[in-house]
Each structure stands twice: as C-alpha cells, then as structure tokens.
Amino acid sequence: MASLRSEEQNLTEQITRLPNLAILQVTGQDAANFLQGQVTCDVRLVTTDNASLGALCNPKGRVISNFIIGKVAAGFVLLLPVALADLVLQRLQRYILRADVNIERPAGLVCLGCLVPAAQPKPDHHEGALWPWASLPAVSGYQRWLSVVPEQTSPPEDTRWLAAWHYHDIRWGWLWLSEATSESFIPQTLRLDTLGAVAFDKGCYTGQEIVARTHYLGKAKRMLCCATVGQTHAVAINAAVVDHAQQTVGQVLDNVEFDGQRYLTVLLSAEHPAEAYLFTEAPDASLLHLETYP
C-alpha cells in the first residue's frame, strides 16, 4: 500500500470521483421514520458526522442493494451502486403512501472519495458540499472519507485511487451488489451484520423477520472470503471456485488488480474448510490464497 503515496504528494492528489456510486436524496418531515421502517440499519443513529452502512431488503430478506447513508440538512443521502439506483428508488417509492417523503436522484452531484493514512486529519470541506466528509473504517492503516459535492467543482476520476478504493472494499469485506447479484443474498451472507449494517434491536423493516430468524436461530450457509491469486489478469465474475477434487464450492463475486496482485471476493460454502485447496475456473487453474474475515 505504501507504494501508492509518497510524502511529496498532497491531499488533493488522493481525492477522486467515485463513478460507481449513485446518490439518492430522501427528504421530507417523515424521512427518518420512513427509512427506519424500510432499511436494515438504525437511521436514528445517523448524524452529519456519523454515516452508517445499510441495506434494503425484499420481503424474503434478500438484499436488493447495500448502501452508505449520511445525514444532510434536508434529510438523508444514500450512496449505492449506479446500476441499482433506479431499482431502489422505485422500491422505496412504493411504500411512501401518505408520508411526507420525497426521494430523488439529484442532478449535478457526485460522490468523492479521499484516501489518506489513518493518522492524517480529516480533509477540508469541498466547495459547495451537500454532505461534508464522513469516514469509513480504516483498512491496512489507511482512512477513507466520503463526500457529496457539485459535479462542476469536483476533481476528475483518478484510476490509481479508484483501484486503491476498490482494493480497500475487498480487504474490508464490503461487496457492492450488482444487477446480477441483487436479491440473491441475505445480509448475513454478505457480512452486513458483522460490518454494522444491520440493527437487530430497531424494530420492524421489510424483510426483518427472515434476517432476525437467521441471526437468532440459524446461520448463513455461505460466507464471503478475501483471496489472492497468482495471476494479474481479470477473473470473470461468477467464475466457479472448486476444490482439489474439482467439486464446486463457491464463486468469484469481485476482483481487482492492485500493486501487482489480484485480489478477489469469493463466496464459499460455510462448511468448506478455509484451508482447502481452491482454484478458479480458468485455462490455467490458479491456487487461491484465502483469508477469512473476522
């Protein structure tokens, strides 16, 4: 990780636009109560400086999309995958009924990410920011900050920092869902409970019964793991992961090349031992080095 940053680089060189994240703004007098009854996290704990991870589930407890939620003057902002933003918007609007709530994708706003060493202070507010900098948990000694700002005043995308941000998501155990994976997993399979994205004492929300039943009476049958592989070329999403007997035990859900190494998020059967020999389905099968998350 140290190779990404020299002491001569300044803070602005570590800020990049995050094009994979869309922004939903939820406003109105009933915005907090409305979200509290729809999402997995406790919206009452979200403040201007205290963002939260969360998810929107369908009635069967499957995650439609995960997100990061922040408090702004007029209500809340949700950062979520671009490919799922319209779907989430439509699903939430179904439940507004007579509540004083407005949900929209505001034009002209973008999400910024700032990656700095953990000991470095909070970055200065960006000009015209709707949502000032809020932090995510540090990974590998680096702190990540998020902000929502006007597009015309934001810096451009920076491929170096986008790769670094992606790497940190994988190392952290945070998997952004896609159209292909939406409504496929319960929160526990995605480690959302471990990451603090699920509040089990907040009361009812859509899908809550299934999520709570798994928490109190059972366990997830599959688990996410971080892995490295001895190849730098991209690994296909949904590529099968097999054991030494060529039995399929999981699949690849995400991967990125970073600092000369390929990092992957893989989904495995919870019963399969982490020390088993695993391979990606490829012309030249490669040994995966697995790392289970805490």
Side-chain angles (χ1 to χ4, degrees), residues 66-97:
N66 49 343
F67 57 76
I68 300 168
I69 181 171
K71 185 74 174 66
V72 296
F76 299 87
V77 290
L78 275 64
L79 308 180
L80 69 167
V82 170
L84 298 176
D86 288 338
L87 174 61
V88 170
L89 177 62
Q90 294 166 9
R91 294 292 183 94
L92 287 176
Q93 285 177 331
R94 291 181 186 177
Y95 296 96
I96 292 178
L97 302 177

Side-chain angles (χ1 to χ4, degrees), residues 96-286:
I96 292 178
L97 302 177
R98 297 181 181 178
D100 180 10
V101 175
N102 182 59
I103 310 171
E104 62 178 343
R105 290 185 67 176
L109 294 176
V110 296
C111 179
L112 296 185
C114 179
L115 178 67
V116 295
Q120 192 160 315
K122 183 177 183 177
D124 293 332
H125 291 337
H126 197 82
E127 180 183 352
L130 171 69
W131 184 35
W133 295 108
S135 64
L136 295 176
V139 180
S140 302
Y142 274 71
Q143 185 69 59
R144 295 180 298 166
W145 298 87
L146 288 165
S147 183
V148 173
V149 304
E151 184 174 12
Q152 65 269 24
T153 64
S154 72
E157 299 169 23
D158 186 318
T159 55
R160 296 172 304 161
W161 300 112
L162 286 175
W165 198 274
H166 194 169
Y167 159 81
H168 276 72
D169 279 341
I170 290 178
R171 294 289 294 173
W172 184 31
W174 179 258
L175 174 72
W176 286 113
L177 294 186
S178 65
E179 291 177 290
T181 53
S182 177
E183 301 189 68
S184 298
F185 310 115
I186 61 174
Q188 287 91 335
T189 299
L190 300 173
R191 303 184 65 253
L192 298 184
D193 54 335
T194 302
L195 293 172
V198 182
F200 292 100
D201 58 354
K202 59 165 281 185
C204 295
Y205 55 88
T206 303
Q208 181 264 344
E209 182 179 354
I210 303 299
V211 178
R213 184 185 304 162
T214 302
H215 176 70
Y216 292 111
L217 300 177
K219 65 177 184 178
K221 296 180 180 180
R222 295 175 292 177
M223 63 180 182
L224 292 184
C225 291
C226 175
T228 56
V229 63
Q231 59 190 47
T232 56
H233 60 78
V235 177
I237 300 301
N238 290 327
V241 176
V242 301
D243 62 14
H244 63 283
Q246 296 298 303
Q247 297 296 311
T248 299
V249 295
Q251 64 190 113
V252 174
L253 295 182
D254 195 11
N255 70 106
V256 67
E257 181 184 357
F258 178 73
D259 203 19
Q261 178 71 60
R262 175 69 53 180
Y263 294 87
L264 305 91
T265 299
V266 295
L267 182 69
L268 296 176
S269 165
E271 281 91 29
H272 201 79
E275 66 272 13
Y277 292 99
L278 300 175
F279 299 82
T280 57
E281 189 180 65
D284 297 314
S286 301

Side-chain angles (χ1 to χ4, degrees), residues 5-89:
R5 180 183 186 274
S6 69
E7 293 303 318
E8 292 76 23
Q9 287 178 311
N10 59 46
L11 185 62
T12 58
E13 291 178 310
Q14 300 163 65
I15 297 175
T16 183
R17 190 182 302 184
L18 300 176
N20 62 309
L21 297 182
I23 301 160
L24 293 185
Q25 189 168 5
V26 184
T27 58
Q29 184 176 346
D30 300 327
N33 288 335
F34 171 77
L35 287 172
Q36 186 75 346
Q38 298 301 323
V39 302
T40 60
C41 59
D42 193 338
V43 176
R44 297 169 300 181
L45 302 180
V46 180
T47 67
T48 303
D49 297 319
N50 183 25
S52 177
L53 307 175
L56 175 70
C57 296
N58 66 21
K60 295 182 178 181
R62 301 300 191 266
V63 179
I64 299 169
S65 180
N66 49 343
F67 57 76
I68 300 168
I69 181 171
K71 185 74 174 66
V72 296
F76 299 87
V77 290
L78 275 64
L79 308 180
L80 69 167
V82 170
L84 298 176
D86 288 338
L87 174 61
V88 170
L89 177 62

